[in-house]
Amino acid sequence: MKINKILTLLSCIILAGTVGEKTFAKEVVQTPEVVTASYDVSALEDRIAKLEYNQEHPSFEFHGYGRSGLLLNANNDLKKGKVFNKNGVGRLGNESDTYIEAELVKNFYLDNGSWSKWHIMFAKGTDDYNDWNENVALRQAYAEMGNLPVFSGAFKESVIWAGKRFYNRRDIHITDFYFTDYSGTGAGIDNIKIGDGMLDLGVIARDYDSYDSVGPVTNSSKEDGLNVVNLLARYDIGSWEFDLGAAFSKDNENRTINNQNGDYNTYSAADYGLQLGIFYNTPGYYWSGKGFSKIFAQVGYGLNAGDGLGTAGRGAEKNLDDALSARLGTFGVLPINEKWDLFTTVVAQHNKNSKFNYNATLLDPQGDSYSVDVDGLKSTWVSVVARPVYKINENFELQFEAGYYYVTEEKDNGNDVDGNLYKLTFAPTFKLNSNDFWARPEIRTFVTWAGWDNDYQKSFQSDLNSYSGKNGVNVGVQAEVWF
């Protein structure tokens, strides 16, 4: 065993010189103390142990995500194309933005085994093709600590954290749909052992300043947005995951709006919410033994209904006290054979809200008038997407994606909606390793066709008027990477 370790160290020295790590090589060859110590087996063992430790415990980490490319409207002289609701019909060949995330992690380790990490992440998103863009966002800034000697019993494996962070995010990759995302600023403790499972507890606050769909709040004591505080719990046991959340917002219970006649209209939105999520990871792709799949069910009430379901209260200003939502979904990846992979997803959601007794023309802070229509009573949407991938060779594959989105909405003004959207994409793709569905980076060219009906165009995506008729074709190229 000792001879093997000596050979391992010698291999490291040779490799360092081969790839140009001259500092390390010079230290070993030129420093008399090291050369002398090379005959000391215990010193060699210490050096090898240190090398292995540094590999397993890096001082710094760098992680990131990025996508960027062209999305052009082939129906309109290659002007910029529009996105056909990527969350509903799939993201392949259906993204127009440049978005990047860059995360730095500083690690701290002590001899007693305890550790801490400081995370900081910046992100930038833009939907234009300009050379220069401003406004970089701070997405994460938090610290976490684990394996602390003071923890024992159920808390022995616990990790504590505090700050601004991504929290409990679950997404469906091919639709870019986060069915849970409780990100915000707060604190918590993870990995509390309860029975055979682990419990996470957290408190998260979010400000939703940009989600005021019903006009400016005129009260001097209130801002346009609202603050939502969430108490969250997650319990994992075997193949099952359970989420439970409660949300509170005093800013939301009396919202006052000024209409163009100088009158004031006040309505009481929900000031608290509840939500429950149940998630099951099947053995393989729906019990096939290959790949993976997940099935989930979620319900939300009050602040956590509608767009607030599975979030820290997003879109809560649109929910009244008795708002109620339910969501069912499933997705998974099947490696069919050496040449074919398949990703599929089906998600449906139903929302119910009480009658909103307000429909008028409002004035924004600049004095311009605009109409508000927030009188929806019931709505349902269904998303079905499939992405087959065929591997030509180790660096080239053909990706296909088909998506269907259906939405219906019942309104108290009689203007009910019943809309459909369809999408097909073909994307020849270059990547470093086409044998791995998740491998990145990749560069893909694509052509995307979408079709829709009048209800969808009028009520859900009026910018599709830039396409002729009720269909559109986009072409383009996109790069994507994560690490």
Side-chain angles (χ1 to χ4, degrees):
M1 181 62 69
K2 292 182 178 180
I3 293 176
N4 289 337
K5 290 188 175 182
I6 294 173
L7 292 176
T8 299
L9 181 58
L10 292 175
S11 298
C12 292
I13 297 172
I14 295 171
L15 180 61
T18 302
V19 300
E21 295 292 334
K22 298 179 179 178
T23 302
F24 178 70
K26 287 181 178 179
E27 177 186 347
V28 176
V29 175
Q30 297 179 1
T31 305
E33 295 80 8
V34 175
V35 173
T36 302
S38 64
Y39 298 98
D40 186 340
V41 174
S42 62
L44 284 173
E45 291 179 338
D46 291 343
R47 173 60 67 87
I48 294 172
K50 185 175 182 179
L51 290 172
E52 293 175 345
Y53 181 86
N54 289 336
Q55 290 177 345
E56 297 176 1
H57 303 82
S59 177
F60 279 97
E61 300 174 41
F62 178 52
H63 306 287
Y65 170 81
R67 64 172 180 263
S68 184
L70 287 173
L71 183 73
L72 301 174
N73 178 357
N75 291 15
N76 195 11
D77 299 326
L78 295 182
K79 292 183 179 179
K80 188 172 183 180
K82 302 294 183 180
V83 174
F84 306 117
N85 186 355
K86 70 175 180 178
N87 297 139
V89 294
R91 70 192 296 181
L92 185 65
N94 197 26
E95 293 177 305
S96 62
D97 63 334
T98 292
Y99 178 73
I100 61 170
E101 295 174 347
E103 180 184 23
L104 292 172
V105 182
K106 170 60 180 173
N107 298 314
F108 304 87
Y109 303 101
L110 295 185
D111 292 339
N112 62 9
S114 60
W115 56 266
S116 179
K117 296 175 181 283
W118 171 254
H119 300 254
I120 184 168
M121 176 189 283
F122 297 99
K124 172 63 184 177
T126 179
D127 203 32
D128 59 48
Y129 300 147
N130 294 335
D131 291 334
W132 184 262
N133 295 281
E134 299 178 352
N135 300 324
V136 174
L138 177 64
R139 299 299 305 275
Q140 299 196 84
Y142 73 97
E144 58 179 337
M145 296 181 183
N147 204 28
L148 301 181
V150 296
F151 285 171
S152 61
F155 297 93
K156 184 174 180 58
E157 301 177 48
S158 293
V159 176
I160 58 175
W161 64 269
K164 177 184 177 70
R165 67 171 296 184
F166 288 166
Y167 191 67
N168 206 352
R169 292 171 20 125
R170 303 180 180 94
D171 80 309
I172 301 172
H173 170 65
I174 62 173
T175 59
D176 201 27
F177 176 59
Y178 283 85
F179 53 99
T180 66
D181 183 1
Y182 308 112
S183 301
T185 303
I189 180 169
D190 298 342
N191 298 339
I192 306 171
K193 188 169 180 57
I194 305 294
D196 292 330
M198 290 291 188
L199 175 67
D200 300 345
L201 298 174
V203 54
I204 292 282
R206 283 292 300 262
D207 290 323
Y208 289 102
D209 298 306
S210 59
Y211 286 91
D212 193 1
S213 67
V214 293
V217 176
T218 59
N219 303 46
S220 60
S221 61
K222 298 181 184 296
E223 298 179 355
D224 289 354
L226 67 152
N227 176 260
V228 182
V229 178
N230 301 265
L231 302 178
L232 300 165
R234 169 174 173 166
Y235 184 66
D236 291 4
I237 181 169
S239 299
W240 293 89
E241 305 161 15
F242 302 88
D243 285 1
L244 180 64
F248 307 89
S249 177
K250 299 300 293 183
D251 293 338
N252 211 34
E253 62 179 344
N254 288 298
R255 300 180 68 80
T256 304
I257 302 172
N258 181 12
N259 65 28
Q260 65 178 358
N261 298 319
D263 299 326
Y264 292 89
N265 299 81
T266 301
Y267 71 97
S268 178
D271 58 357
Y272 73 95
L274 298 170
Q275 61 179 314
L276 171 68
I278 301 175
F279 314 87
Y280 177 66
N281 302 291
T282 69
Y285 182 81
Y286 303 106
W287 295 272
S288 68
K290 296 192 301 181
F292 82 93
S293 59
K294 183 187 288 282
I295 302 170
F296 58 91
Q298 298 168 269
V299 293
Y301 175 80
L303 286 173
N304 293 123
D307 292 340
L309 181 57
T311 76
R314 182 177 62 225
E317 75 281 358
K318 295 180 287 186
N319 297 336
L320 301 191
D321 286 332
D322 61 351
L324 184 65
S325 292
R327 179 189 296 156
L328 292 173
T330 183
F331 66 97
V333 176
L334 173 65
I336 299 174
N337 53 41
E338 292 183 357
K339 287 293 187 179
W340 284 96
D341 288 331
L342 176 65
F343 195 129
T344 59
T345 177
V346 179
V347 182
Q349 181 168 329
H350 178 71
N351 308 304
K352 183 179 180 181
N353 215 343
S354 56
K355 182 175 180 179
F356 184 67
N357 294 310
Y358 182 72
N359 191 3
T361 301
L362 307 177
L363 292 178
D364 64 19
Q366 288 72 42
D368 298 323
S369 62
Y370 61 97
S371 297
V372 174
D373 182 13
V374 287
D375 56 354
L377 294 176
K378 297 178 182 178
S379 65
T380 301
W381 59 262
V382 180
S383 169
V384 182
V385 183
R387 184 189 293 186
V389 178
Y390 180 70
K391 309 161 191 174
I392 302 294
N393 54 49
E394 62 180 338
N395 298 126
F396 186 69
E397 64 187 21
L398 301 178
Q399 299 193 70
F400 309 85
E401 190 168 88
Y404 169 68
Y405 182 76
Y406 168 75
V407 61
T408 179
E409 184 168 311
E410 176 187 334
K411 298 186 176 184
D412 63 1
N413 62 6
N415 295 325
D416 296 348
V417 171
D418 198 348
N420 299 272
L421 174 67
Y422 314 85
K423 192 212 77 168
L424 296 172
T425 295
F426 172 60
T429 301
F430 288 93
K431 60 194 306 181
L432 292 182
N433 180 16
S434 62
N435 293 316
D436 182 359
F437 180 89
W438 301 103
R440 298 294 186 275
E442 66 179 34
I443 297 175
R444 49 208 180 213
T445 58
F446 59 83
V447 56
T448 295
W449 172 89
W452 54 89
D453 54 28
N454 280 328
D455 266 7
Y456 184 86
Q457 179 159 341
K458 288 188 300 183
S459 299
F460 296 97
Q461 206 158 345
S462 61
D463 56 5
L464 294 180
N465 290 324
S466 61
Y467 295 91
S468 59
K470 298 298 180 293
N471 61 81
V473 176
N474 288 335
V475 296
V477 60
Q478 186 187 51
E480 184 179 46
V481 65
W482 57 63
F483 53 92

